[in-house]
């Protein structure tokens, strides 16, 4: 594995945890490879990744044991979009708002510029299923990020270099959480 790519995986894991976008072992992130995608293992400490915490998953066939349970969603997104990297996290404010909104429409300039609007998806199953995978892949064809109601967010990047794509997808998630917080504070202010 390229040292630079692993370093970027490690940085994203550390930053997701430090910013409160995931709990210790939650979330997952991946980059496209020639044969499939490289993804974080299930249950590992994302703030303390080692090279052994990454697994290659093919675009077809069985998902290797130990790969993130959300590999099914990543696989569907890579099959159906031009995504080069995907980050899945549980941004608290965005997830809270997902319980009450059909679409998160940012009020802030950065959110409007980079996200425009974020669909809130509500398939019957919200995690690690083909149903959730189809819903997320369909949403990410049109938008750079989406929310699964009450569960978490997925962001994708199409940047060519894997390290840049992974950092860009992470950046979109931080923008989503900031936009969600601004939206919440604005509503609280308005309601007095």
């Amino acid at each position: 594995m390229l040292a630079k790519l692993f370093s970027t995986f490690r940085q994203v894991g550390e930053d997701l945890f430090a910013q409160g976008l995931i709990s210790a072992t939650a979330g997952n992130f991946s980059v496209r490879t020639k044969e499939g995608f490289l993804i974080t293992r299930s249950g590992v400490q994302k703030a303390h990744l080692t090279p052994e915490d990454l697994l290659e998953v093919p675009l077809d066939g069985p998902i290797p044991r130990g790969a993130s349970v959300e590999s099914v969603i990543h696989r569907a997104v890579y099959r159906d979009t031009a995504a080069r990297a995907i980050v899945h996290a549980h941004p608290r404010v965005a997830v809270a708002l997902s319980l009450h909104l059909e679409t998160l429409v940012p009020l802030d300039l950065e959110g409007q510029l980079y996200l425009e609007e974020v669909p809130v998806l509500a398939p019957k199953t919200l995690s690690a299923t083909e149903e959730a995978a189809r819903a997320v892949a369909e949403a990410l064809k049109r938008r750079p990020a989406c929310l699964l109601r009450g569960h978490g967010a997925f962001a994708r990047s199409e940047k060519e270099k894997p390290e840049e794509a992974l950092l860009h997808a992470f950046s979109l998630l931080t923008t989503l959480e900031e936009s969600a917080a601004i939206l919440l504070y604005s509503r609280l202010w308005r309601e007095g």
Side-chain angles (χ1 to χ4, degrees):
M1 180 193 325
L2 298 173
K4 187 175 180 183
L5 180 57
F6 170 69
S7 178
T8 305
F9 264 92
R10 190 178 65 224
Q11 178 185 344
V12 168
E14 290 171 357
D15 289 348
L16 283 168
F17 181 73
Q19 293 187 29
L21 298 173
I22 58 170
S23 58
T25 60
N28 42 75
F29 31 105
S30 67
V31 296
R32 187 185 292 265
T33 62
K34 287 182 182 179
E35 301 299 322
F37 56 97
L38 194 62
I39 192 167
T40 50
R41 286 183 181 270
S42 185
V44 298
Q45 298 275 333
K46 303 308 184 300
H48 304 285
L49 289 176
T50 68
E52 293 75 31
D53 293 332
L54 304 177
L55 278 177
E56 180 128 22
V57 176
L59 284 181
D60 295 299
I63 292 173
R65 186 174 180 191
S68 170
V69 296
E70 300 286 11
S71 292
V72 64
I73 294 177
H74 290 249
R75 178 185 270 177
V77 174
Y78 286 124
R79 283 179 176 166
D80 293 352
T81 74
R84 307 286 298 164
I86 301 165
V87 176
H88 168 56
H90 306 141
R92 294 175 180 124
V93 179
V95 170
L97 290 177
S98 80
L99 298 169
H100 306 283
L101 301 174
E102 299 298 318
T103 303
L104 190 152
V105 180
L107 300 175
D108 62 300
L109 182 60
E110 186 177 17
Q112 291 173 356
L113 181 63
Y114 295 113
L115 300 171
E116 192 174 320
E117 66 179 36
V118 180
V120 177
L121 313 174
K124 289 182 183 177
T125 55
L126 295 171
S127 177
T129 65
E130 289 292 339
E131 180 185 32
R134 283 191 302 273
V136 171
E138 189 61 34
L140 293 184
K141 285 180 184 178
R142 299 180 310 279
R143 298 283 177 215
C146 66
L147 283 156
L148 281 172
R149 177 163 286 134
H151 174 67
F154 285 85
R156 58 116 176 111
S157 174
E158 297 179 3
K159 290 194 178 282
E160 187 64 31
K161 292 183 179 177
E163 298 86 4
E164 290 177 9
L166 192 55
L167 289 171
H168 181 235
F170 164 72
S171 177
L172 290 169
L173 273 181
T174 64
T175 300
L176 170 59
E177 182 66 347
E178 183 172 307
S179 294
I182 291 168
L183 180 60
L184 176 62
Y185 295 150
S186 175
R187 288 180 176 206
L188 290 173
W189 182 270
R190 202 173 43 222
E191 294 171 11

